[in-house]
Amino acid sequence: MQVLDTAARINQQIAENPVILYMKGTPEAPECGFSRQVVETLKQIGQPYAFVNVLAAPHIREKLPQISQWPTFPQLFVKGELVGGCDIVLGLHSEGSLKELLESANAA
Ligand SMILES: N[C@@H](CCC(=O)N[C@@H](CS)C(=O)NCC(=O)O)C(=O)O
């Protein structure tokens, strides 16, 4: 029952981490330009976050889009909710609301 196990694992990761990024590669070595841009944005903000490298977790890469209803990576979750991918994260940063969102998630 790999599918159920994977879904449960994802739900646990999202529930346990106030800020979690599903990405390709790692924050130190992103393996996709979209993931790289989100990592660089999060680095500018300086708030802690968890991450999952979906290239190293193929079951999560396959299952998460069905759970989140979001087809691509990166995917940023804050307080259990999908914020979005690269375009949305960069948009929130340029309008100035991402910092406060992450600060309040980590403070809660
Ligand atoms: N416009 C998207 C770009 C992300 C994107 O197109 N990601 C692709 C290439 S990295 C992807 O995840 N494809 C599905 C997959 O590789 O599993 C965003 O804002 O995040």
Side-chain angles (χ1 to χ4, degrees):
M1 296 293 281
Q2 183 64 50
V3 170
L4 285 180
D5 288 350
T6 302
R9 202 155 115 229
I10 290 169
N11 287 327
Q12 187 178 36
Q13 290 167 343
I14 291 171
E16 285 181 351
N17 294 284
V19 183
I20 181 165
L21 178 66
Y22 291 86
M23 63 176 291
K24 292 187 178 179
T26 65
E28 292 72 30
E31 292 186 48
C32 165
F34 300 113
S35 290
R36 180 184 301 278
Q37 288 180 72
V38 170
V39 161
E40 282 172 3
T41 299
L42 295 176
K43 195 170 172 186
Q44 283 178 40
I45 288 178
Q47 283 289 314
Y49 62 96
F51 75 93
V52 173
N53 175 5
V54 298
L55 296 180
H59 295 299
I60 291 178
R61 181 180 183 179
E62 187 186 340
K63 189 69 189 169
L64 179 58
Q66 297 166 30
I67 293 174
S68 62
Q69 298 292 301
W70 192 267
T72 55
F73 298 94
Q75 297 190 24
L76 182 70
F77 288 79
V78 175
K79 287 167 78 174
E81 301 278 344
L82 175 68
V83 172
C86 179
D87 295 343
I88 289 178
V89 170
L90 268 58
L92 289 174
H93 186 47
S94 58
E95 77 181 31
S97 58
L98 187 64
K99 187 169 191 280
E100 194 184 320
L101 181 70
L102 300 187
E103 282 174 354
S104 66
N106 280 321

